[in-house]
Amino acid sequence: MKARRAGFDAQRAVLKAQAARNPANAPNDQALDRLARCFGRPYVEAVACHAS
């Protein structure tokens, strides 16, 4: 799971760098923020995650 988190974080950083230049990526950026907050939970829960 740690290896998967490292890969997720690396790809998330790439998207965040691009999101600043392309506002159309904002929804994807928000979805990745939710997934990051709830990483390790089942995907269905993580996608809808509102935990801080």
Side-chain angles (χ1 to χ4, degrees):
M1 191 66 147
K2 288 181 183 179
R4 289 183 181 183
R5 180 61 195 242
F8 173 84
D9 288 341
Q11 290 301 313
R12 184 175 176 223
V14 170
L15 180 65
K16 283 202 168 285
Q18 294 172 356
R21 295 188 312 263
N22 185 354
N25 280 332
N28 295 331
D29 192 32
Q30 293 166 359
L32 287 176
D33 288 343
R34 287 192 304 272
L35 289 171
R37 281 194 302 270
C38 295
F39 194 87
R41 292 187 188 177
Y43 180 77
V44 172
E45 290 179 24
V47 168
C49 186
H50 296 290
S52 10

Coordinates of all heavy atoms in Angstrom, one line a residue:
M1 N 0.8 -1.2 0.0 CA 0.0 0.0 0.0 C 0.9 1.3 0.0 O 0.5 2.2 -0.6 CB -0.9 0.0 1.2 CG -2.0 1.0 1.2 SD -3.1 0.7 -0.2 CE -4.6 1.2 0.5
K2 N 2.0 1.2 0.7 CA 2.9 2.4 0.7 C 3.4 2.7 -0.7 O 3.5 3.9 -1.0 CB 4.0 2.2 1.7 CG 3.6 2.2 3.2 CD 4.7 2.0 4.1 CE 4.3 2.0 5.5 NZ 5.4 1.8 6.5
A3 N 3.7 1.7 -1.4 CA 4.2 1.9 -2.8 C 3.2 2.6 -3.6 O 3.4 3.4 -4.4 CB 4.7 0.6 -3.4
R4 N 1.9 2.1 -3.5 CA 0.8 2.7 -4.2 C 0.6 4.1 -3.9 O 0.3 5.0 -4.7 CB -0.4 1.9 -4.0 CG -0.4 0.5 -4.7 CD -1.7 -0.2 -4.6 NE -1.6 -1.5 -5.2 CZ -2.5 -2.3 -5.3 NH1 -3.7 -2.0 -4.7 NH2 -2.4 -3.5 -5.8
R5 N 0.8 4.4 -2.6 CA 0.6 5.8 -2.1 C 1.7 6.7 -2.7 O 1.4 7.8 -3.1 CB 0.6 5.9 -0.6 CG 0.4 7.3 0.0 CD -1.0 7.9 -0.4 NE -1.1 9.3 -0.2 CZ -1.9 9.9 0.6 NH1 -2.8 9.1 1.2 NH2 -2.0 11.2 0.7
A6 N 2.9 6.2 -2.8 CA 4.0 7.0 -3.3 C 3.7 7.3 -4.8 O 3.9 8.5 -5.3 CB 5.3 6.3 -3.2
G7 N 3.2 6.4 -5.5 CA 2.9 6.6 -6.9 C 1.7 7.5 -7.1 O 1.7 8.4 -8.0
F8 N 0.7 7.4 -6.3 CA -0.4 8.3 -6.3 C 0.0 9.7 -6.0 O -0.4 10.7 -6.7 CB -1.5 7.9 -5.2 CG -2.6 8.8 -5.0 CD1 -3.7 8.8 -5.8 CD2 -2.6 9.8 -4.0 CE1 -4.8 9.7 -5.7 CE2 -3.6 10.7 -3.8 CZ -4.7 10.6 -4.7
D9 N 0.8 9.9 -5.0 CA 1.3 11.2 -4.6 C 2.1 11.9 -5.8 O 2.0 13.1 -6.0 CB 2.1 11.2 -3.3 CG 1.3 11.0 -2.1 OD1 0.0 11.2 -2.2 OD2 1.8 10.6 -1.1
A10 N 2.9 11.1 -6.4 CA 3.7 11.6 -7.5 C 2.9 12.0 -8.7 O 3.1 13.1 -9.2 CB 4.7 10.5 -8.0
Q11 N 1.8 11.3 -9.0 CA 0.9 11.7 -10.1 C 0.1 12.8 -9.7 O -0.2 13.7 -10.5 CB 0.1 10.5 -10.5 CG 0.8 9.4 -11.2 CD 1.5 9.9 -12.5 OE1 0.9 10.6 -13.3 NE2 2.8 9.6 -12.6
R12 N -0.3 12.9 -8.5 CA -1.1 14.0 -8.0 C -0.3 15.3 -8.1 O -0.8 16.4 -8.4 CB -1.5 13.8 -6.5 CG -2.4 14.8 -5.9 CD -2.8 14.4 -4.5 NE -3.6 15.4 -3.9 CZ -3.5 15.8 -2.6 NH1 -2.6 15.1 -1.9 NH2 -4.2 16.7 -2.1
A13 N 1.0 15.3 -7.8 CA 1.9 16.4 -7.9 C 1.9 16.9 -9.3 O 1.9 18.2 -9.5 CB 3.2 16.1 -7.3
V14 N 2.0 16.0 -10.2 CA 2.0 16.4 -11.7 C 0.7 17.1 -12.0 O 0.8 18.2 -12.7 CB 2.2 15.2 -12.6 CG1 2.0 15.5 -14.0 CG2 3.6 14.6 -12.3
L15 N -0.4 16.6 -11.6 CA -1.7 17.2 -12.0 C -1.8 18.6 -11.3 O -2.3 19.5 -11.9 CB -2.8 16.3 -11.6 CG -4.2 16.9 -11.9 CD1 -4.4 17.1 -13.4 CD2 -5.3 16.1 -11.3
K16 N -1.4 18.7 -10.0 CA -1.5 20.0 -9.3 C -0.7 21.0 -10.0 O -1.1 22.2 -10.1 CB -1.1 19.8 -7.9 CG -2.1 19.2 -7.0 CD -1.9 19.5 -5.6 CE -3.1 19.1 -4.8 NZ -4.3 20.0 -4.9
A17 N 0.5 20.7 -10.5 CA 1.3 21.6 -11.2 C 0.7 22.1 -12.5 O 0.8 23.2 -12.9 CB 2.7 21.0 -11.6
Q18 N -0.1 21.2 -13.2 CA -0.8 21.5 -14.4 C -2.1 22.3 -14.1 O -2.5 23.1 -15.0 CB -1.0 20.3 -15.2 CG 0.2 19.6 -15.7 CD 0.0 18.3 -16.4 OE1 -1.2 17.8 -16.4 NE2 1.0 17.7 -16.9
A19 N -2.7 22.0 -13.0 CA -4.0 22.6 -12.7 C -3.9 24.1 -12.6 O -4.9 24.8 -13.0 CB -4.6 22.0 -11.4
A20 N -2.8 24.6 -12.1 CA -2.7 26.0 -12.0 C -2.7 26.7 -13.4 O -3.1 27.8 -13.5 CB -1.4 26.3 -11.2
R21 N -2.2 26.0 -14.4 CA -2.1 26.5 -15.7 C -3.4 26.3 -16.5 O -3.6 26.9 -17.5 CB -0.9 26.0 -16.5 CG 0.4 26.4 -15.9 CD 1.6 26.0 -16.7 NE 1.5 24.6 -17.2 CZ 2.2 23.6 -16.6 NH1 2.9 23.8 -15.6 NH2 2.1 22.4 -17.1
N22 N -4.2 25.3 -16.1 CA -5.4 24.9 -16.8 C -6.5 24.7 -15.9 O -6.7 23.7 -15.3 CB -5.1 23.6 -17.6 CG -6.2 23.2 -18.5 OD1 -7.3 23.9 -18.5 ND2 -6.0 22.2 -19.3
P23 N -7.4 25.8 -15.7 CA -8.5 25.7 -14.8 C -9.5 24.6 -15.1 O -10.2 24.2 -14.2 CB -9.2 27.1 -15.0 CG -8.2 28.0 -15.6 CD -7.3 27.1 -16.4
A24 N -9.5 24.0 -16.3 CA -10.4 22.9 -16.6 C -10.0 21.7 -15.8 O -10.9 20.8 -15.7 CB -10.3 22.6 -18.1
N25 N -8.8 21.6 -15.2 CA -8.4 20.5 -14.4 C -8.9 20.6 -13.0 O -8.7 19.7 -12.2 CB -6.9 20.3 -14.4 CG -6.4 19.6 -15.7 OD1 -7.1 18.8 -16.3 ND2 -5.2 19.9 -16.1
A26 N -9.5 21.7 -12.6 CA -9.9 21.9 -11.2 C -10.8 20.8 -10.7 O -10.6 20.3 -9.5 CB -10.6 23.2 -11.1
P27 N -11.8 20.2 -11.4 CA -12.6 19.1 -10.9 C -11.7 17.9 -10.6 O -11.9 17.2 -9.6 CB -13.6 18.9 -12.0 CG -13.7 20.1 -12.7 CD -12.3 20.7 -12.7
N28 N -10.8 17.6 -11.5 CA -9.9 16.5 -11.3 C -9.0 16.7 -10.0 O -8.8 15.8 -9.3 CB -9.0 16.3 -12.5 CG -9.7 15.9 -13.7 OD1 -10.8 15.3 -13.7 ND2 -9.2 16.3 -14.9
D29 N -8.6 17.9 -9.9 CA -7.7 18.3 -8.7 C -8.5 18.0 -7.4 O -8.0 17.5 -6.4 CB -7.3 19.7 -8.8 CG -6.2 20.1 -7.8 OD1 -5.4 19.2 -7.5 OD2 -6.2 21.3 -7.4
Q30 N -9.8 18.5 -7.4 CA -10.6 18.3 -6.2 C -10.9 16.8 -6.0 O -10.9 16.4 -4.8 CB -12.0 19.0 -6.4 CG -11.8 20.5 -6.5 CD -13.0 21.3 -7.0 OE1 -14.0 20.7 -7.3 NE2 -12.9 22.6 -7.0
A31 N -11.1 16.0 -7.0 CA -11.3 14.6 -6.8 C -10.1 13.9 -6.2 O -10.2 13.1 -5.3 CB -11.7 13.9 -8.2
L32 N -8.9 14.3 -6.7 CA -7.7 13.7 -6.2 C -7.5 14.2 -4.7 O -7.0 13.4 -3.9 CB -6.5 14.2 -7.0 CG -6.4 13.5 -8.4 CD1 -5.2 14.0 -9.1 CD2 -6.3 12.0 -8.2
D33 N -7.9 15.4 -4.3 CA -7.8 15.8 -2.9 C -8.7 14.9 -2.1 O -8.2 14.5 -1.0 CB -8.2 17.2 -2.8 CG -7.2 18.2 -3.3 OD1 -6.1 17.9 -3.5 OD2 -7.6 19.4 -3.5
R34 N -9.9 14.6 -2.5 CA -10.8 13.7 -1.8 C -10.1 12.3 -1.7 O -10.1 11.7 -0.6 CB -12.1 13.6 -2.4 CG -13.0 14.8 -2.3 CD -14.4 14.6 -2.7 NE -14.6 14.1 -4.0 CZ -14.7 14.8 -5.1 NH1 -14.6 16.2 -5.0 NH2 -14.8 14.3 -6.3
L35 N -9.6 11.8 -2.8 CA -9.0 10.4 -2.7 C -7.8 10.4 -1.8 O -7.6 9.5 -1.1 CB -8.5 10.0 -4.1 CG -9.6 9.7 -5.1 CD1 -9.1 9.5 -6.5 CD2 -10.4 8.4 -4.7
A36 N -7.0 11.5 -1.8 CA -5.8 11.6 -0.9 C -6.3 11.6 0.6 O -5.6 10.9 1.4 CB -5.0 12.8 -1.2
R37 N -7.3 12.3 0.9 CA -7.8 12.4 2.3 C -8.2 11.0 2.8 O -8.1 10.7 4.0 CB -8.9 13.4 2.4 CG -8.5 14.8 2.5 CD -9.6 15.7 3.0 NE -10.8 15.7 2.1 CZ -11.0 16.4 1.1 NH1 -10.1 17.3 0.7 NH2 -12.1 16.3 0.4
C38 N -8.8 10.2 1.9 CA -9.4 8.9 2.3 C -8.6 7.7 1.7 O -9.2 6.7 1.4 CB -10.8 8.9 1.9 SG -11.8 10.1 2.8
F39 N -7.4 7.9 1.4 CA -6.5 6.9 0.8 C -6.5 5.7 1.7 O -6.4 5.8 2.9 CB -5.1 7.4 0.6 CG -4.3 6.5 -0.4 CD1 -4.4 6.7 -1.7 CD2 -3.5 5.5 0.2 CE1 -3.6 5.9 -2.6 CE2 -2.8 4.7 -0.7 CZ -2.9 4.8 -2.0
G40 N -6.7 4.5 1.1 CA -6.7 3.3 1.9 C -8.1 2.8 2.2 O -8.3 1.6 2.5
R41 N -9.1 3.6 2.0 CA -10.5 3.2 2.1 C -11.0 2.6 0.8 O -10.3 2.8 -0.3 CB -11.4 4.4 2.4 CG -11.2 4.9 3.8 CD -12.3 6.0 4.0 NE -12.0 6.7 5.3 CZ -12.7 7.7 5.7 NH1 -13.8 8.1 5.0 NH2 -12.4 8.3 6.8
P42 N -12.1 1.9 0.7 CA -12.6 1.4 -0.5 C -12.8 2.5 -1.5 O -13.2 3.6 -1.1 CB -13.9 0.7 -0.2 CG -13.7 0.3 1.3 CD -12.9 1.4 1.9
Y43 N -12.6 2.3 -2.8 CA -12.7 3.4 -3.8 C -14.0 4.1 -3.7 O -14.0 5.4 -3.8 CB -12.5 2.8 -5.2 CG -12.5 3.8 -6.3 CD1 -11.5 4.6 -6.5 CD2 -13.7 3.9 -7.1 CE1 -11.5 5.6 -7.5 CE2 -13.7 4.9 -8.0 CZ -12.7 5.7 -8.3 OH -12.7 6.6 -9.3
V44 N -15.1 3.4 -3.6 CA -16.4 4.1 -3.6 C -16.5 5.1 -2.4 O -17.0 6.2 -2.6 CB -17.5 3.1 -3.5 CG1 -18.9 3.7 -3.2 CG2 -17.6 2.2 -4.7
E45 N -15.9 4.8 -1.3 CA -15.9 5.7 -0.1 C -14.9 6.8 -0.4 O -15.2 8.0 0.0 CB -15.5 4.9 1.2 CG -16.5 4.0 1.7 CD -16.1 3.3 2.9 OE1 -15.2 3.8 3.6 OE2 -16.6 2.1 3.2
A46 N -13.8 6.5 -0.9 CA -12.7 7.5 -1.1 C -13.2 8.6 -2.1 O -12.9 9.8 -1.9 CB -11.5 6.9 -1.6
V47 N -13.9 8.2 -3.1 CA -14.4 9.2 -4.1 C -15.3 10.2 -3.5 O -15.3 11.4 -3.8 CB -15.0 8.4 -5.3 CG1 -15.7 9.4 -6.2 CG2 -14.0 7.7 -6.1
A48 N -16.1 9.7 -2.6 CA -17.1 10.6 -2.0 C -16.6 11.2 -0.7 O -17.4 11.9 0.0 CB -18.4 9.8 -1.7
C49 N -15.4 11.0 -0.3 CA -14.8 11.4 1.0 C -14.9 12.9 1.2 O -14.6 13.7 0.4 CB -13.4 10.9 1.1 SG -12.7 11.2 2.7
H50 N -15.4 13.2 2.4 CA -15.4 14.6 2.8 C -14.7 14.8 4.2 O -14.8 15.8 4.8 CB -16.9 15.1 3.0 CG -17.6 15.1 1.7 ND1 -17.3 15.9 0.7 CD2 -18.6 14.2 1.2 CE1 -18.1 15.7 -0.4 NE2 -18.9 14.6 0.0
A51 N -14.0 13.8 4.6 CA -13.3 13.8 5.9 C -12.1 14.8 5.7 O -11.5 15.0 4.7 CB -12.8 12.5 6.3
S52 N -11.7 15.4 6.9 CA -10.5 16.3 6.8 C -9.3 15.6 7.3 O -9.3 14.6 7.8 CB -10.7 17.5 7.6 OG -11.8 17.6 8.4

